[in-house]
């Protein structure tokens, strides 16, 4: 990620970040050490990671921290939409 990329919001999140955060919870746990249940809560918007957790996860996934946060926010928005299967089934 270059400084020039940071100047263009449309460059975020990168496809690499999207792909890495599209991994299963088990894969994310192996890569970052963050428990699967915690990832689930992050993605459903039930819990927000701290800045330190974002930095650590970004490093573990070999992503720029800003790119990581942008991809996380995009996935949260996608998963917390009204049509989300987990919400329809009432899974906590």
């Amino acid at each position: 990620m270059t400084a020039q990329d940071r100047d263009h919001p449309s460059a975020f999140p990168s496809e690499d970040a999207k792909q890495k955060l599209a991994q299963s919870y088990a894969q994310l746990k192996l890569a970052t050490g963050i428990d699967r249940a915690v990832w689930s809560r992050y993605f459903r918007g039930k819990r927000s990671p701290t800045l330190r957790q974002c930095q650590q996860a970004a490093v573990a996934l070999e992503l720029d921290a800003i790119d990581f946060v942008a991809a996380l926010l995009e996935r949260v928005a996608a998963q917390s939409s009204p049509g989300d299967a987990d919400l329809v089934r009432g899974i906590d």
Side-chain angles (χ1 to χ4, degrees), residues 39-54:
W39 279 110
S40 177
R41 288 187 212 108
Y42 289 164
F43 292 147
R44 289 184 294 129
K46 303 286 183 185
R47 180 176 176 180
S48 296
T50 65
L51 176 59
R52 182 169 172 79
Q53 290 166 330
C54 286

Side-chain angles (χ1 to χ4, degrees), residues 3-65:
Q4 185 177 12
D5 291 334
R6 289 187 183 121
D7 294 335
H8 301 290
S10 62
F12 292 106
S14 70
E15 287 303 314
D16 186 39
K18 289 180 191 180
Q19 288 177 354
K20 287 183 179 182
L21 285 181
Q23 298 179 80
S24 71
Y25 295 154
Q27 291 170 313
L28 287 168
K29 181 185 186 319
L30 286 174
T32 64
I34 297 171
D35 192 60
R36 296 180 305 177
V38 174
W39 279 110
S40 177
R41 288 187 212 108
Y42 289 164
F43 292 147
R44 289 184 294 129
K46 303 286 183 185
R47 180 176 176 180
S48 296
T50 65
L51 176 59
R52 182 169 172 79
Q53 290 166 330
C54 286
Q55 291 171 323
Q56 290 172 337
V59 167
L61 294 171
E62 299 177 349
L63 295 171
D64 179 84

Side-chain angles (χ1 to χ4, degrees), residues 69-84:
V69 170
L72 177 64
L73 290 173
E74 186 175 281
R75 181 156 176 187
V76 168
Q79 283 204 220
S80 63
S81 65
D84 183 51

